[in-house]
Amino acid sequence: MIERRQAVRDLLAERGELIVVAGLGSPCYDALAAGDHPLDFYNWGAMGSAVMVGLGLALSRPNQPVLVLVGDGEMLMGFGSLATLAQHKPANLTIVILDNEEYAETGMQETATAFGVDLAAVAAACAAPSTKTIRDQRDVGSIRDAMHRCNGLKVAVLKIAKGDVPRTVPIRDGVAIKMRFRNRLLGPDFEP
Amino acid sequence: MANERDKEQGIQPWQRQIFDVFTAGQIDHVSYVHDGGHKGLIALCRNSTGMKTTALSTEEEGVGLAAGLWLGGQRSALLMQSSGVGNCVNTFALAEACRIPLLLLVTMRGEFAEYIPFQIPMGKRTPDILDAMGFDVFRAEHTDEVADVVAGALDQAFFSNRAVAVLLSQRMIGRKNWTK
């Protein structure tokens, strides 16, 4: 079984200018625990939107790798976004679904994946060219390496250990998150 | 003549004007849920070489997409029917909390000669819901004011980092033919 904090640390190792969209709840804590970075967009709300924010970034920054870190709960809420991706299939976009089959934020209640819903199979059915389910910590590094190659849309489901881990809470002010992110990505003088 | 070709393709002059406003306003991307009222504009955007488009599975996806595009340096517009506004409500939080510009063009249903009663509840409350969610709400009643209203909305959204919606009146868009 995969431990989520270690897995995200492995994914973000030597990240360079990797853009990270962290979905609400635990993915935000995971991203911070791996080291705060201006190119982390902590998407604290709008549950279900993380993949679409990542799609927008992947389309507007086609030569830069974009990683969306999202929980199974949020991915289920934004199910349709997997279908929407099919028309673009951005080569620089990787979606990592941290699947513990429960809603950690609200007290470990079962999500649909606890009843057999297979999110990698859903992504494959939605025409994602590369999908896999990973259960072994040692396989996380291969996702990290593939992500930096930007050679095709990838969706990976990481089956992570159940249970909560101590929270590491990043900045929550949306304007501060945005300003920091855009200054790093586009420079302070960028207008549109 | 563009006008003749547009007519053959069912593109209204006011839709062509919106497209021109988008081009002048440096809109890089247009996302939408397919809609009869926006059909001509969607066709123009899809056929444009300078603009990318995304057909959404549900309107709320467009809010996240617009945020991601803008964070990456691109301007976009989001097209929907009034029913779609209801689908989006919680995701509007992203635009407000981060002060990310968001430009919505909403074709109204349920406000004039509506044939489907299910369209009326959302159509009736669309302006109030947008207002409650912090939008600056503009409205175009007549074809001759559409370009100006959309241009003003676009500038307000991107100059002032605001969520701005333009409601396109159902009467202006024209009656849907339910008998064919």
Side-chain angles (χ1 to χ4, degrees), chain B residues 76-130:
Chain B
S76 70
L78 173 52
L79 317 181
M80 64 182 69
Q81 269 188 24
S82 45
S83 51
V85 171
N87 291 348
C88 290
V89 175
N90 181 54
T91 56
F92 290 149
L94 182 55
E96 183 176 330
C98 300
R99 279 206 289 116
I100 289 175
L102 182 59
L103 176 62
L104 248 58
L105 266 61
V106 181
T107 48
M108 293 303 295
R109 294 288 306 266
E111 64 172 22
F112 182 75
E114 181 57 61
Y115 184 74
I116 307 289
F118 286 50
Q119 288 284 354
I120 292 174
M122 197 53 226
K124 227 177 174 48
R125 280 121 191 158
T126 287
D128 287 346
I129 287 173
L130 287 168

